[in-house]
Each structure stands twice: as structure tokens, then as C-alpha cells.
Amino acid sequence: MELGTREKAILALERRGFAGPGAKERAIREELGLAPVRYYQLLNALLDDERALAHDPVTVNRLRRIRQSHRSDR
């Protein structure tokens, strides 16, 4: 089974760079119609989805490393 449109859009947003504080949160609200908290919940679940890894391995692996680094810092 393939990723849905929303899941693909979340990964695409994560591939982009954002200039300035608040730019990413604004894009999340305007482009995806999600609250940032909900976006990050969905993103975190997506990082554990093998379909996401198959769709965009570079982005998913980068985000997994960042997540693991944050968990190790705690």
C-alpha cells in the first residue's frame, strides 16, 4: 500500500528549507491545514512507517537520526 496524499505532503514539507522563525509553522497551517502540534504527531508516526522510508529514504533517515539524537539528549 502506498502513502496517502497528506503523508506525501508532510514529507515534502520536511524536505524544504525555511527562512526565519515561524515560517515552517505558517506553511504547516496554510498548506496542510493542520495545527503544528498535530503535524508533528503525524510526522513522528510517519517516521516509523516503512512506506515512508520507501517513498523518501533520505528525508526519513535524516529525521530518524535527529529524533534519536533528541531522545539520547534526554
Side-chain angles (χ1 to χ4, degrees):
M1 206 165 140
E2 194 173 298
L3 289 176
T5 304
R6 180 168 68 176
E7 289 84 4
K8 289 178 182 177
I10 289 171
L11 291 174
L13 194 99
E14 283 299 317
R15 281 192 300 271
R16 292 172 32 197
F18 293 93
K24 184 175 183 179
E25 286 74 17
R26 190 169 36 261
I28 291 168
R29 282 192 168 93
E30 292 173 0
E31 296 174 24
L32 301 177
L34 293 169
V37 170
R38 181 65 180 141
Y39 170 84
Y40 288 110
Q41 289 171 339
L42 293 170
L43 175 61
N44 194 46
L46 199 53
L47 295 182
D48 296 325
D49 190 329
E50 292 304 315
R51 297 174 303 159
L53 182 62
H55 176 76
D56 191 346
V58 173
T59 301
V60 171
N61 283 323
R62 177 179 58 84
L63 294 171
R64 283 179 175 179
R65 283 191 305 273
I66 292 168
R67 180 175 69 176
Q68 185 58 41
S69 173
H70 290 168
R71 286 180 177 170
S72 296
D73 291 343
R74 292 182 193 170

